[in-house]
Every structure is written in structure tokens, then in C-alpha cells.
Amino acid sequence: MTRALLVIDMQQGFDDLAFWGATTNPDCEENVAALIEHWRRTGEPVVVVRHDSVSPGSPLHPSSPGNALVAAVAAAEADVLVTKQVNSAFYGEPDLHAWLGERGIQEVVVCGIQTNMCVETTARMAGNLGYDTTVVLDATRTFDLDEEVAGVGRVTRTAADLMAGTALVLQGGGFARVVRTADLV
């Protein structure tokens, strides 16, 4: 057993599109569920990560109903639940790197929300820590971004563009392989 599935921030609060904005990839949750089911059949560990926002107004704050995991993930009986307050699952409790190391796990497969935020940050750190890292792109999703950026001006990207950009950077930069759910299940 040298491979683990990392399910990042599959929380009900991400369904609050009034807060987050437009999204893409409506099949994300179904694909995550398929990956979890496959991992359970193979007896490989499933790590569920939950973002506990420190911002009281966030749908992901522990006092918000949106902090809860989506049904498919809540029912998954994770081998471990990692809670975090930042982008990377490697900065959570319990210590993910130590947990993986104690089990001799050398490969991680990453899925969840948001593609270009917590999924990407966790995948980059996994690669930097020496894990053989795979990101299942169609088992992730994100949201449109529109921000004023110093020195650049107003920058707008659709969720689909952000997903494609993340896939390009992760794979092209050597951080992770990018695959589809069907490639693994």
C-alpha cells in the first residue's frame, strides 16, 4: 500500500454560488465519489481534508452549515480527516506528511475543490516533498476569478480557464501528472 487518495475540501459551502461565483465541472462530485469507491475496493487509504476557515463570514467557517462535507465524502469513512486553515493539506492536523510517511505511502492522487487553490497548492507541496503526485482534473472544480492585480490591472478568468491553467502548470512544471477519473477507475 504505497498510494493514497487525497480528497480536498469537498464541502457543502462551495455550493453557495452567491458567495463564490460561477463554477464549472458539474461532474466533480460524481467523479470524486467514483474515485473513493475505487479506492475502497482496492483497500488503499482515503484521506479527507476539510477547510476550517478562520473568517466568520465564510461558508467554510466551522460554525457554518457549509463547513460540512458533501454527502458522498461524509459517507466515505476516511482513513484520516485532516483539518486545515490554509491552502495546503500539508499544513493541517494531523500532520499529513507524517501520516503518509508512517504508512510508507509514496504516491498521492489529489482531487477536490478548488482546482487552482487548495488542490494545486497541495499537489505542488506533495511534489516538492517527493511524492509521486497525480491530479484528477475532472474530479476538481473551481470558480471564476475577477480581481484588480497591482501592475497588471483588472484580470478576469473563467473557472474553465483556471482549471486548464492549473493543469498546464502542474504537469508542465513537473509537479504532478494530470489525468481523468476514467484513467484510474
Side-chain angles (χ1 to χ4, degrees), residues 3-180:
R3 180 174 78 160
L5 178 66
L6 308 183
V7 181
I8 309 293
D9 302 347
M10 291 295 296
Q11 292 166 257
Q12 294 176 19
F14 281 116
D15 291 334
D16 183 352
L17 300 185
F19 184 87
W20 299 103
T23 190
T24 191
N25 192 19
D27 297 329
C28 172
E29 190 171 333
E30 179 181 321
N31 290 334
V32 168
L35 289 168
I36 291 170
E37 182 181 323
H38 176 75
W39 252 253
R40 285 292 163 231
R41 278 196 312 271
T42 63
E44 296 171 294
V46 174
V47 176
V48 172
V49 179
R50 186 185 70 218
H51 190 93
D52 289 345
S53 176
V54 296
S55 173
S58 170
L60 305 180
H61 189 271
S63 67
S64 170
N67 183 263
L69 299 168
V70 298
V73 176
E77 297 181 25
D79 292 276
V80 65
L81 171 67
V82 174
T83 59
K84 63 181 182 58
Q85 297 176 333
V86 296
N87 302 99
S88 175
F90 288 98
Y91 288 113
E93 293 293 328
D95 182 317
L96 178 58
H97 186 50
W99 190 91
L100 294 168
E102 289 164 2
R103 287 152 186 80
I105 295 168
Q106 301 164 352
E107 179 181 354
V108 294
V109 177
V110 187
C111 62
I113 303 173
Q114 295 186 60
T115 314
N116 57 312
M117 303 286 184
C118 297
V119 170
E120 181 176 352
T121 303
T122 298
R124 283 174 177 253
M125 285 199 66
N128 286 338
L129 289 168
Y131 294 97
D132 182 2
T133 306
T134 301
V135 172
V136 188
L137 191 64
D138 67 350
T140 73
R141 73 180 172 104
T142 194
F143 304 89
D144 292 358
L145 279 178
D146 180 29
E147 291 287 327
E148 187 70 32
V149 179
V152 178
R154 186 126 217 112
V155 179
T156 302
R157 296 291 182 270
T158 67
D161 287 341
L162 291 166
M163 285 182 69
T166 294
L168 176 65
V169 169
L170 287 175
Q171 190 161 297
F175 294 102
R177 271 181 316 286
V178 176
V179 301
R180 297 166 302 155

